[in-house]
Amino acid sequence: MLNNFRDLTLSHVVAAGHRRVIGRKGGLPWHIPEDFKIFKQVTMGKPMIMGRKTFESIGKALPGRLSIVITRDPTWPCPSGVKVVQSVQEAIGLCDQLKAQWGSEVCIIGGGQIFAETFPCVDKIYYTDVDLEITDGDTFYPELKSGDFTVVHEQPSTGTQSFVWRIYSRLRS
């Protein structure tokens, strides 16, 4: 079970529009340079776990981070600099093995299925709440229920696209 890795901090890094839309037709439904800077700042020097489609939407391994791609396709051509695993459990286990090199915070960056599977045990959420209505969105982030998380940081955007960046921390009983 994923809870076996308690010495790791599991974090989601996500941008979502209205109704928690995170994707459309295999990609992001927006291009927000200010949010990309936040993403880079949050993920730099850390392992990033993602599904194959998320990786393919990015198109390459991002420098200064460990890219771990989850795919059930054993014939998927693994790009240089990428680690490939077959499950979330295997991905987090790899991060646990490599924490001396990459640190104890693991950034889970999507997609929807990976977010849903890891949501029950995530410790922290870096959430960009984008002020956009995407009517044809087809991928959604799980619902944040009051009482599960608390906001520990909030920062409004300064660029042309309105958003609020929040950091949530899971409340533990």
Side-chain angles (χ1 to χ4, degrees):
M1 185 63 200
L2 299 180
N3 293 335
N4 294 344
F5 301 106
R6 290 314 332 151
D7 54 340
L8 294 176
T9 299
L10 301 181
S11 299
H12 283 178
V13 184
V14 61
H18 297 184
R19 299 178 301 110
R20 302 178 329 276
V21 171
I22 61 171
R24 176 179 60 201
K25 298 176 184 167
L28 285 176
W30 49 71
H31 179 85
I32 307 171
E34 185 179 0
D35 182 52
F36 293 155
K37 288 179 187 174
I38 292 169
F39 177 87
K40 181 177 181 179
Q41 172 191 347
V42 168
T43 61
M44 188 57 70
K46 299 173 187 166
M48 297 185 314
I49 295 173
M50 68 200 86
R52 177 190 51 80
K53 291 177 187 175
T54 297
F55 178 82
E56 289 173 349
S57 76
I58 295 169
K60 63 180 180 178
L62 297 176
R65 291 153 274 200
L66 173 63
S67 294
I68 302 170
V69 177
I70 301 169
T71 180
R72 291 182 296 269
D73 180 357
T75 65
W76 185 67
C78 176
S80 177
V82 174
K83 302 280 187 190
V84 176
V85 297
Q86 294 185 334
S87 69
V88 167
Q89 180 79 21
E90 188 180 350
I92 295 172
L94 179 59
C95 293
D96 191 49
Q97 292 171 15
L98 299 173
K99 68 181 171 238
Q101 178 182 358
W102 289 99
S104 61
E105 184 173 14
V106 176
C107 294
I108 300 164
I109 65 167
Q113 182 180 340
I114 306 297
F115 283 140
E117 188 173 338
T118 58
F119 190 78
C121 59
V122 72
D123 302 294
K124 186 187 275 189
I125 302 170
Y126 299 95
Y127 193 96
T128 302
D129 189 354
V130 182
D131 187 18
L132 278 176
E133 183 68 43
I134 307 297
T135 58
D136 59 345
D138 55 20
T139 310
F140 301 86
Y141 190 73
E143 182 178 356
L144 291 169
K145 295 184 177 137
S146 63
D148 289 344
F149 294 90
T150 187
V151 176
V152 295
H153 179 79
E154 187 169 279
Q155 174 181 324
S157 62
T158 58
T160 56
Q161 174 57 57
S162 178
F163 67 81
V164 177
W165 183 60
R166 294 183 182 95
I167 302 174
Y168 291 89
S169 181
R170 183 176 294 278
L171 296 169
R172 301 282 180 201
S173 50

